Amino acid sequence: MPYRLLMEELENLADPKYRDFQMGLIKNPDVRMMGVRTPDLRRIAKRYKTEEDWAELLEYPDEIYEIRFITLAVIAEWPYDLFQKGLIYALELIDNWALCDSFVPKSLKDQQGDFLLTLINLITSGKEFYERFACVMMLKYYINDEYISTVFALSECAHTGLKNVQTGVAWLLSECAVRFYDRTKEYFETSKLDEKTYSLAIRKCCESLRLTAEQKTELKDIKKKWLSVKKSEKSST
């Protein structure tokens, strides 16, 4: 589809009220958004099925959120080898958490081991949305018996001074608590996270509807003890 026709379709689907609502959530004034809803964007992305279609899409200007979303949705459907080649291009399109969290490549479902080195490189990159993407991938594909210890270790490698990384790590650990409560509880007892990220992770656990009141109380008690230890360590230095 020629770029001009795609833009005309997007303009017809745009809803200014929805755009304003989304912009309020994203809180990035540099994002250019038309206000097209996600189901419509995913429907459009499904049209790009062949390599010829992909080549055309990748030549479109990508200043607008909707074009970036469609491009990422298409790349998310690529087979693993092709996705790996296009990964950095895709990550460079991401400038907000909404785009990042919606970009979930399906081919990673069966490639956790092969992708692990890339994941490590991303989470230690110092680039905000590279690291946020790594958190989302761990949340989607690595919270299991084989990799949960790796998830804990990589969470401590992230640059949590970056806001979208900090919230990504906290979200990731809260999901770990839901799926592997005992393992995550033990991790929180000895975690090496910074205090702000640690506290945010516990808060997100306590906001979860999938943890019991007893579990939340236990995590709050662990947090008190953990903070007390941190305070003692600071006073002794």
Side-chain angles (χ1 to χ4, degrees):
M1 174 186 290
Y3 177 72
R4 176 181 58 83
L5 294 180
L6 175 57
M7 287 300 296
E8 288 178 1
E9 181 175 5
L10 293 174
E11 287 169 2
N12 289 331
L13 292 168
D15 180 345
K17 290 184 178 179
Y18 179 72
R19 177 198 62 209
D20 294 344
F21 172 74
Q22 284 289 89
M23 289 296 292
L25 294 176
I26 290 173
K27 297 179 181 179
N28 182 344
D30 295 327
V31 173
R32 293 178 57 193
M33 180 180 288
M34 299 172 70
V36 180
R37 296 177 184 274
T38 298
D40 289 322
L41 295 176
R42 293 197 184 281
R43 174 178 53 79
I44 292 170
K46 289 181 180 179
R47 299 176 191 165
Y48 294 86
K49 298 179 179 180
T50 67
E51 291 188 13
E52 189 175 72
D53 294 333
W54 301 338
E56 181 182 29
L57 175 62
L58 296 180
E59 290 179 357
Y60 292 166
D62 57 22
E63 296 89 355
I64 297 173
Y65 174 93
E66 283 77 6
I67 297 295
R68 293 186 177 201
F69 186 103
I70 291 168
T71 303
L72 291 169
V74 170
I75 293 174
E77 298 289 334
W78 284 359
Y80 181 69
D81 289 346
L82 186 58
F83 155 73
Q84 278 278 53
K85 292 178 182 178
L87 175 58
I88 298 304
Y89 173 83
L91 293 178
E92 288 297 316
L93 293 176
I94 297 173
D95 60 357
N96 63 82
W97 66 263
L99 278 179
C100 189
D101 295 1
S102 66
F103 180 45
V104 182
K106 293 183 178 180
S107 64
L108 293 190
K109 183 177 180 180
D110 301 313
Q111 299 289 346
Q112 292 99 326
D114 189 82
F115 191 69
L116 186 57
L117 180 58
T118 301
L119 191 71
I120 293 169
N121 289 334
L122 293 175
I123 201 70
T124 58
S125 68
K127 295 186 177 183
E128 188 163 17
F129 291 106
Y130 284 36
E131 295 197 19
R132 172 84 179 201
F133 171 75
C135 290
V136 175
M137 292 307 96
M138 286 192 283
L139 189 152
K140 296 293 184 181
Y141 297 123
Y142 287 83
I143 302 178
N144 53 47
D145 282 317
E146 183 176 1
Y147 288 108
I148 190 164
S149 295
T150 301
V151 169
F152 295 147
L154 292 182
S155 294
E156 295 180 352
C157 295
H159 293 80
T160 51
L162 301 169
K163 181 179 179 180
N164 285 287
V165 178
Q166 183 182 81
T167 55
V169 169
W171 177 29
L172 171 63
L173 292 174
S174 70
E175 189 64 25
C176 288
V178 169
R179 301 190 209 175
F180 288 87
Y181 177 76
D182 289 338
R183 296 276 295 276
T184 308
K185 180 186 71 173
E186 291 174 3
Y187 166 72
F188 279 133
E189 291 173 341
T190 59
S191 172
K192 296 179 182 178
L193 289 172
D194 63 277
E195 291 184 21
K196 288 185 178 180
T197 307
Y198 183 94
S199 296
L200 181 59
I202 296 292
R203 191 181 88 190
K204 287 189 174 295
C205 289
C206 293
E207 291 172 351
S208 174
L209 299 177
R210 293 177 291 166
L211 292 174
T212 67
E214 291 77 10
Q215 288 172 329
K216 294 174 184 180
T217 297
E218 188 172 28
L219 290 175
K220 289 177 182 177
D221 289 340
I222 290 171
K223 176 186 171 182
K224 289 178 183 177
K225 294 176 183 177
W226 186 88
L227 289 174
S228 178
V229 171
K230 290 294 180 181
K231 186 176 180 180
S232 297
E233 290 175 349
K234 287 181 180 179
S235 62
S236 64
T237 58

